[in-house]
Amino acid sequence: FIPIQVIIVGLFLDGIMERKEKEKMMKKLNMVIGLFFSEVGSKFVRIISCHDANLSEAMNEFEVKEEYTLKDLQKVKTDLCKYKGKLEVDVKTLSKIKEMLSEKRDFLILLISNPVLLEHDTFTELLMATFHISEEFSNRDELDTFTQDDLDHIRNDVSRAYNYIVTEWIDYIIYLKNEYPYLYKSAILTNPFLGANACSI
């Protein structure tokens, strides 16, 4: 009887330690995601979101409010997970993206090398999609020498990263609401998908 008690207690303690370790890992991961949005993600959205032909019709879905509960935000997430942007990005905007990603290339490499990302497949996909755009720009000549196929290829890459950002953004907003309400308030005030914040770079 006593050994069984020891086993049960041991399993219980192991479960607690594993849960705490996972919580610590998720906190580190969300710190990395926060850095991404601060340095790259929000700027990326501000550059291109006003070129999203579908955004005006879906504006209510992106308009996250301070009084929203976690249940409200989960509803927003359900809606945004179905959202697909329709980008009509011109060469001038692509040039802005190229310049921004060039400045942040070392930062992106640093994030990609972070082992914490192994815990989050979808964010890793977003990060790799964003870095891929940077690679495409760096492996080609200046934009004014791009063929139509080159431009179409880059536009498709930008659209892929943009759609990844939509769902990762709302996940991050939910995390802030749950863990850091004061940061949540700041994040929704600077919502990169909305009106005055869009295409502001």
Side-chain angles (χ1 to χ4, degrees), residues 46-133:
R46 289 191 185 103
I47 290 171
I48 63 177
S49 58
C50 64
H51 298 288
D52 180 359
N54 291 339
L55 186 57
S56 59
E57 296 179 5
M59 196 62 75
N60 288 340
E61 297 171 13
F62 285 92
E63 193 175 0
V64 177
K65 299 180 180 178
E66 185 177 352
E67 64 269 21
Y68 276 9
T69 64
L70 288 174
K71 184 177 180 180
D72 294 329
L73 291 172
Q74 286 295 338
K75 172 64 169 60
V76 173
K77 178 180 177 179
T78 299
D79 293 337
L80 291 186
C81 282
K82 302 172 187 175
Y83 181 80
K84 292 296 179 185
K86 183 181 179 183
L87 294 179
E88 300 170 354
V89 182
D90 55 24
V91 173
K92 182 179 178 181
T93 303
L94 288 176
S95 180
K96 290 181 180 179
I97 295 171
K98 178 182 179 181
E99 181 180 355
M100 188 269 289
L101 292 181
S102 176
E103 292 173 356
K104 299 298 181 180
R105 182 178 174 83
D106 290 344
F107 174 77
L108 289 172
I109 292 173
L110 186 64
L111 289 191
I112 290 170
S113 65
N114 193 320
V116 171
L117 295 183
L118 296 175
E119 298 293 321
H120 200 311
D121 291 341
T122 55
F123 178 68
T124 301
E125 290 293 329
L126 164 58
L127 199 55
M128 294 305 296
T130 307
F131 186 72
H132 175 71
I133 300 170

Side-chain angles (χ1 to χ4, degrees), residues 37 41-47 49-50 55 58-66 68 73 76 80 162 165-166 169-170 172-173 176 183-200:
F37 276 104
S42 293
K43 294 176 184 177
F44 183 83
V45 171
R46 289 191 185 103
I47 290 171
S49 58
C50 64
L55 186 57
M59 196 62 75
N60 288 340
E61 297 171 13
F62 285 92
E63 193 175 0
V64 177
K65 299 180 180 178
E66 185 177 352
Y68 276 9
L73 291 172
V76 173
L80 291 186
Y162 178 74
I165 280 180
V166 170
W169 174 79
I170 189 59
Y172 182 60
I173 290 294
L176 292 181
L183 292 178
Y184 166 80
K185 182 177 180 180
S186 175
I188 62 174
L189 286 174
T190 57
N191 185 334
F193 292 95
L194 298 185
N197 292 324
C199 288
S200 60

Side-chain angles (χ1 to χ4, degrees), residues 133-159:
I133 300 170
S134 174
E135 286 284 276
E136 288 293 324
F137 279 129
S138 66
N139 291 333
R140 298 170 188 262
D141 295 324
E142 294 301 313
L143 278 169
D144 56 8
T145 67
F146 276 28
T147 66
Q148 189 59 48
D149 284 345
D150 289 334
L151 291 172
D152 290 342
H153 180 85
I154 290 289
R155 287 184 177 116
N156 286 335
D157 290 338
V158 169
S159 292

